[in-house]
Amino acid sequence: MSEDKPKPVFRRVEDCETQEWNHPHRGQVKWWELINGDLTSTTGITVGIAEVPVGASPPKRGHTHDAEEVYYFLNGIGRVHVDGVETDVKPGTSVWIPAHAEHFCHNTGTEPLATVPRPTLTSTVYEPTSTGIVRSLLFQIINFIFACTGRFMCLLRWLISNIPSPYGEVDSRQWVLCRVYCGGVNPVDAKFLYGDKLPHFCLPLVKWFVEDRICGIDFSGIVIEAPPNCGYTAGDPVFGTIPPFCGSFAEYVRAPTDFINHKPNNISFAEACALPLVGLTVLQAFEDNNLMAGQHVLVLGASGGTGYCAVQLT
Ligand SMILES: NC(=O)c1ccc[n+]([C@@H]2O[C@H](COP(=O)([O-])OP(=O)(O)OC[C@H]3O[C@@H](n4cnc5c(N)ncnc54)[C@H](OP(=O)(O)O)[C@@H]3O)[C@@H](O)[C@H]2O)c1
């Protein structure tokens, strides 16, 4: 028998860590991940138990994703909403939810509503709901500006000093799909949420814009899918950043290959995810101020993220 042949995996729910969310589009839910790509040699399936607690208010609207899903109800009674249609469910009911259908579960009973959802891997990359078309358009415009800025910076740097651009060739950017192990929190994540530095009258607009978006820029994790010859293959531990407004506080992210690097073996995933943005900020500050070896600098806030990097680089 071949050594590479996948082995069966047995897991009990008691051995799984309880995860809990209270998300505006997924509602309040507890989750025990039984089978996923880290435990089995297949990365194509995730199986877990979801539980909607008694009295949990239904979300204002559901969530969508690009894979179909099957729910099998184990306990409790409730209602499943799929694209605006409500259906009562009880133990023994199974529901097939088509790809891209907006859906959520609502507990209407007096005991927890437990279900076994069986999404495929791609289902965990959450997409904006269908009602967020204008928001998506704005998002595309920002992405476009981001790409143009990169291109403009390429040109500007080339014109000014012929320095090779740190942005690389925007058009030839390749992307990898990564499973996130850890996400690094930066002040910009909070600023993103409450629209820091914008006039007060902009705050409702900011709130409306970020409602469907996930925060987070820094992450570490493993590569799940990568284009051929991009320098990364499935299973590689990596760390880095993702473009603004794409959200690294997620189970999976897509990252451009020039935004990530291989994680050194001597640092943990938690340590690696704390490095990218603060490290880049300090390097940029040093470069922009033409700091040279031997010069003295005063580092304010040296116990903080950027500060501790600056101290180590001086
Ligand atoms: N993180 C990034 O990637 C990044 C990027 C660009 C710009 N920035 C900016 O850089 C600054 C620091 O960011 P950070 O990520 O390093 O934040 P941080 O991890 O929260 O560190 C903040 C530092 O400031 C100190 N501090 C807070 N209040 C202070 C006060 N009233 N007087 C003196 N020191 C005070 C803290 O000291 P204690 O530990 O004693 O509280 C800590 O050392 C922020 O303004 C941020 O917007 C950060």
Side-chain angles (χ1 to χ4, degrees):
M1 199 165 63
S2 159
E3 296 240 322
D4 297 337
K5 194 171 173 198
K7 307 259 186 318
V9 174
F10 296 87
R11 287 251 289 174
R12 295 188 58 80
V13 68
E14 308 85 273
D15 302 330
C16 301
E17 192 192 329
T18 308
Q19 299 177 54
E20 201 160 356
W21 300 295
N22 196 351
H23 188 273
H25 302 155
R26 280 197 268 181
Q28 192 181 344
V29 68
K30 283 188 187 169
W31 169 253
W32 292 269
E33 193 154 283
L34 291 164
I35 304 293
N36 63 23
D38 304 330
L39 297 168
T40 63
S41 48
T42 170
T43 53
I45 191 164
T46 302
V47 181
I49 294 183
E51 187 185 281
V52 182
V54 178
S57 354
K60 280 187 209 140
R61 56 174 194 262
H63 63 278
T64 63
H65 35 70
D66 54 8
E68 52 198 78
E69 250 182 339
V70 173
Y71 287 177
Y72 179 74
F73 287 87
L74 301 169
N75 190 67
I77 56 166
R79 215 163 279 149
V80 174
H81 297 241
V82 184
D83 279 340
V85 179
E86 300 176 16
T87 310
D88 288 331
V89 293
K90 60 184 184 182
T93 310
S94 59
V95 184
W96 173 69
I97 298 167
H100 309 294
E102 193 174 314
H103 61 280
F104 67 89
C105 297
H106 176 204
N107 186 346
T108 54
T110 52
E111 51 183 326
L113 178 67
T115 171
V116 186
R118 293 165 58 96
T120 59
L121 172 73
T122 46
S123 73
T124 44
V125 181
Y126 284 90
E127 300 290 348
T129 57
S130 53
T131 49
I133 293 169
V134 181
R135 264 193 296 273
S136 297
L137 197 63
L138 268 178
F139 180 55
Q140 294 303 332
I141 292 170
I142 287 181
N143 265 351
F144 176 73
I145 293 170
F146 172 69
C148 291
T149 312
R151 203 177 292 204
F152 175 70
M153 292 298 283
C154 287
L155 185 66
L156 199 65
R157 286 197 176 240
W158 183 79
L159 285 174
I160 292 172
S161 57
N162 245 348
I163 300 169
S165 163
Y167 291 87
E169 282 295 322
V170 173
D171 283 339
S172 64
R173 183 167 285 158
Q174 290 181 299
W175 296 70
V176 294
L177 175 67
C178 302
R179 179 175 165 82
V180 176
Y181 280 6
C182 298
V185 184
N186 292 287
V188 69
D189 299 316
K191 291 172 183 177
F192 168 67
L193 278 182
Y194 64 78
D196 181 65
K197 296 192 172 69
L198 290 174
H200 254 271
F201 69 86
C202 292
L203 294 188
L205 183 70
V206 170
K207 195 169 175 307
W208 171 76
F209 176 73
V210 301
E211 204 189 1
D212 261 350
R213 310 255 81 88
I214 302 173
C215 275
I217 293 180
D218 284 343
F219 82 100
S220 61
I222 56 162
V223 174
I224 301 290
E225 274 174 22
N229 307 320
C230 74
Y232 299 94
T233 51
D236 283 352
V238 290
F239 72 118
T241 63
I242 57 169
F245 310 116
C246 292
S248 68
F249 300 162
E251 293 154 283
Y252 292 86
V253 293
R254 284 188 200 280
T257 48
D258 53 337
F259 278 39
I260 60 172
N261 215 324
H262 292 277
K263 181 183 84 61
N265 287 334
N266 59 348
I267 59 172
S268 66
F269 282 100
E271 288 167 333
C273 81
L275 190 59
L277 213 51
V278 290
L280 290 169
T281 301
V282 172
L283 283 177
Q284 189 185 6
F286 280 20
E287 262 185 38
D288 287 357
N289 289 289
N290 296 321
L291 288 184
M292 315 286 272
Q295 285 186 308
H296 289 202
V297 290
L298 170 65
V299 179
L300 296 173
S303 58
T306 46
Y308 88 89
C309 271
V311 168
Q312 289 180 72
L313 282 171
T314 50

